[in-house]
Amino acid sequence: MQKRVTFRHRWLPYALVAPQIVVTLIFFIWPAYQALETSFYIEDAFGFSREWVGLENFRALFADATYMASFSTTIVFGLGVTALSMSISLALAVAANRVIRSALAYQTSIIWPYAVAPAVAGVLWHFMMNPSLGIFAYWLEGLGYEWNHYVNGDQALLMVTVAAAWKQISYNFLFFLAGLQSIPKSLIEAAAIDRAGPVRRFWSIVFPLLSPTTFFLLVVNLVYAFFDTFSLIHATTNGGPANATSILVYKVYNTGFVGQDYGGSAAQSVILMLMVAAMTVVQFRYVERRVNY
């Protein structure tokens, strides 16, 4: 028998969802529409006049070599942040799930980095990796490796990838730990009785049961890498050196607020939005098939 929720007043359910609808309209639908409209115009630096140019802003973007290079940079950065943060957080969650003594202190110490603002995290890593003063750069120099992300684009991209992943580990850790604690212990004990080792138990029982959590975090981490890492990159490398860390979301800012090209910036934001939407649809269409609920 299917149960249905009934309300005493017909308008009550609409009133309950109205605040969320208003927030979505004001902070998502309206800005998205404004960006789409602006992408078809060329505006002056002060916004007093604009001229209709159709798809010219999009054509100029795809003819720009630096913008096309930012696509590959964004993909490498996004995949690197997602893989690094999720793998480390899963390992920490497995370790925390096995801790008996001081478990709360251990879990709290891992969660703390999530409270750090992205810009602050970027400044911290900037100082730690500074080739003149940074402690990590000093250790690398002691190992015979010369670190200077000011002139080496690969090192700069590696630094912002590690910094962004470090910032996201705590968030992933919370969900992985909650997923691990929800797995019935009887399944693990039954596998142990059947002489399955710890590695076999993890890949055959634990990880498949974590697939809903893993899929959710996969989507969240990719969106985080594409959108929420602007302040971190701005605080560490400013997109340099030579645009080596200029991902798409930073390119939107640099074109609009620095270059005063509002039409081109809006076109970039539309392309980024469509790119992330298509990526999310592909994940739900194909990756979710392997999820066991």
Side-chain angles (χ1 to χ4, degrees):
M1 181 178 179
Q2 184 179 5
K3 295 182 179 180
R4 298 187 61 183
V5 178
T6 57
F7 296 90
R8 298 180 60 181
H9 301 282
R10 182 176 297 179
W11 54 266
L12 182 58
Y14 301 100
L16 294 175
V17 300
Q20 183 60 47
I21 293 177
V22 171
V23 170
T24 303
L25 289 173
I26 294 176
F27 294 101
F28 180 76
I29 302 299
W30 177 248
Y33 169 76
Q34 288 286 87
L36 180 61
E37 181 186 15
T38 306
S39 66
F40 297 112
Y41 290 88
I42 290 181
E43 296 188 13
D44 64 359
F46 300 99
F48 293 138
S49 63
R50 60 180 183 174
E51 178 185 354
W52 170 269
V53 293
L55 299 176
E56 186 60 33
N57 287 323
F58 295 94
R59 296 192 190 97
L61 287 179
F62 288 108
D64 185 0
T66 59
Y67 179 74
M68 298 306 296
S70 66
F71 271 95
S72 59
T73 302
T74 303
I75 293 174
V76 171
F77 174 76
L79 294 179
V81 170
T82 301
L84 191 60
S85 62
M86 290 185 65
S87 58
I88 294 177
S89 59
L90 178 58
L92 293 175
V94 171
N97 195 43
R98 298 169 63 89
V99 172
I100 298 177
R101 295 182 180 180
S102 303
L104 182 60
Y106 176 78
Q107 296 169 14
T108 304
S109 63
I110 296 178
I111 294 171
W112 273 351
Y114 189 65
V116 179
V120 177
V123 172
L124 290 175
W125 280 90
H126 176 74
F127 278 106
M128 289 190 296
M129 302 302 297
N130 187 285
S132 301
L133 305 172
I135 183 65
F136 285 166
Y138 175 76
W139 289 342
L140 290 173
E141 185 179 358
L143 296 174
Y145 184 80
E146 183 180 356
W147 178 274
N148 191 347
H149 64 271
Y150 291 114
V151 297
N152 192 312
D154 293 336
Q155 291 180 355
L157 183 59
L158 176 62
M159 181 185 69
V160 295
T161 300
V162 173
W166 174 82
K167 177 69 177 65
Q168 191 69 2
I169 285 175
S170 301
Y171 181 87
N172 299 336
F173 170 80
L174 290 173
F175 284 91
F176 275 132
L177 183 62
L180 288 170
Q181 292 179 345
S182 66
I183 297 176
K185 300 297 182 183
S186 58
L187 296 177
I188 310 298
E189 295 172 354
I193 294 174
D194 290 338
R195 298 183 178 181
V199 177
R200 179 68 180 275
R201 293 198 298 267
F202 177 80
W203 290 112
S204 300
I205 297 176
V206 176
F207 192 70
L209 292 176
L210 276 178
S211 56
T213 304
T214 305
F215 175 72
F216 166 75
L217 290 177
L218 177 64
V219 176
V220 169
N221 278 261
L222 285 174
V223 173
Y224 159 78
F226 275 71
F227 285 103
D228 295 340
T229 53
F230 161 78
S231 55
L232 187 146
I233 292 178
H234 188 57
T236 52
T237 63
N238 281 323
N243 294 318
T245 58
S246 182
I247 62 175
L248 290 174
V249 67
Y250 190 83
K251 202 77 168 60
V252 172
Y253 158 81
N254 202 42
T255 302
F257 289 90
V258 178
Q260 300 294 310
D261 182 7
Y262 300 119
S265 178
Q268 292 180 31
S269 65
V270 170
I271 293 174
L272 179 60
M273 180 177 61
L274 293 176
M275 182 178 175
V276 175
M279 180 183 62
T280 306
V281 170
V282 169
Q283 289 177 340
F284 276 90
R285 182 68 177 84
Y286 297 102
V287 180
E288 195 181 20
R289 292 181 177 180
R290 299 182 179 271
V291 177
N292 299 312
Y293 292 100

